[in-house]
């Protein structure tokens, strides 16, 4: 079975996000004053080939924990869609 | 009215994504051979203060076009949620 995984990795809410802060200020300088609290993270899509949805989930989690996410500074969530 | 915008910015499908390719290879080296076709983009959350949902949409679009998205190389989609 093949799945598409959509993974969103964001800086933890408790931490400052300097990139987001810079973007917020740039938006204000562009005159977009109604926009605030920007936070910038990563969005990762990948294809998972696995025998079952449970195996696909396990593989995706492993990829997140081993490579894609720095658990000290980031949180993640993902969805799997069969294709 | 206040809204949360969730914006996903991804490299265009037609273009190579070197970062995604590097991640794919790293996953394979880690023994996760069932994972493929990694593409890496950005996920941006922000808060929008606007008089109506239509205005919030217009502001979000403007932010994407003026600052957040490089339309030559990237596509974007977003959702707005009232808070």
């Amino acid at each position: 079975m093949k799945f598409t995984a959509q993974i969103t990795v964001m800086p933890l809410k408790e931490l400052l996000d300097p990139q987001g802060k810079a973007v917020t200020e740039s938006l204000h300088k562009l005159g977009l004053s109604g926009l605030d609290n920007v936070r910038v993270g990563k969005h990762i899509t990948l294809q998972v080939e696995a025998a079952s949805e449970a195996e696909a989930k396990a593989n995706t989690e492993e990829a997140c924990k081993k490579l894609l996410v720095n658990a000290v500074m980031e949180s993640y969530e993902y969805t799997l869609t069969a294709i």
Side-chain angles (χ1 to χ4, degrees), chain A residues 3 48-62 80:
Chain A
F3 300 88
V48 192
E49 174 114 46
S52 65
E53 188 164 347
E55 192 188 316
K57 264 194 184 178
N59 286 353
T60 309
E61 292 260 358
E62 198 180 342
L80 280 179

Side-chain angles (χ1 to χ4, degrees), chain A residues 23-83:
Chain A
V23 172
T24 308
E25 283 165 19
S26 300
L27 287 172
H28 293 175
K29 276 181 199 151
L30 285 170
L32 289 159
S33 54
L35 308 182
D36 216 346
N37 277 333
V38 181
R39 292 185 82 78
V40 182
K42 287 179 289 184
H43 188 85
I44 300 159
T45 63
L46 49 85
Q47 274 171 26
V48 192
E49 174 114 46
S52 65
E53 188 164 347
E55 192 188 316
K57 264 194 184 178
N59 286 353
T60 309
E61 292 260 358
E62 198 180 342
C64 288
K65 285 178 184 155
K66 282 195 176 166
L67 187 70
L68 304 175
V69 181
N70 174 0
V72 176
M73 300 175 63
E74 295 168 329
S75 65
Y76 70 98
E77 50 192 47
Y78 65 90
T79 58
L80 280 179
T81 324
I83 51 173

